[in-house]
Amino acid sequence: YAQTHLSALQAKARKAGVKAVTLLLEGVVHEEIARAAKSKKADLIVIGTHGRTGLAEFFLGSVASRVAAAASCPVMTVRGK
């Protein structure tokens, strides 16, 4: 299911003229994203965020902030709707 969904998103991006690379990985999320970006020599990581604050962020943590701390390239966060 995940690979099918990623392929559909990649096709949508390409149709819009955006070069997109998709990867399906398993492991600790922020570590795998940072590792993949480094191994692919990514120029930028773009990651969505739920925009949680306060206690919700404290208890649930923020994958986006952990990626930003671990990444070897710039990270741009995009807040979801």
Side-chain angles (χ1 to χ4, degrees):
Y1 170 79
Q3 189 60 56
T4 301
H5 190 65
L6 280 174
S7 295
L9 289 171
Q10 185 177 31
K12 186 176 181 180
R14 285 187 176 160
K15 186 175 181 181
V18 176
K19 180 182 175 185
V21 176
T22 62
L23 298 170
L24 182 57
L25 306 168
E26 291 183 34
V28 179
V29 177
H30 68 279
E31 292 174 0
E32 292 301 321
I33 292 171
R35 186 177 296 123
K38 187 172 185 176
S39 72
K40 298 289 185 182
K41 297 183 174 125
D43 296 320
L44 174 70
I45 297 171
V46 180
I47 189 167
T49 179
H50 292 290
R52 291 187 183 100
T53 59
L55 287 177
E57 182 179 7
F58 178 76
F59 286 112
L60 297 174
S62 169
V63 171
S65 65
R66 289 180 180 155
V67 169
S72 58
C73 65
V75 176
M76 177 171 52
T77 60
V78 180
R79 187 170 181 168
K81 293 181 182 180

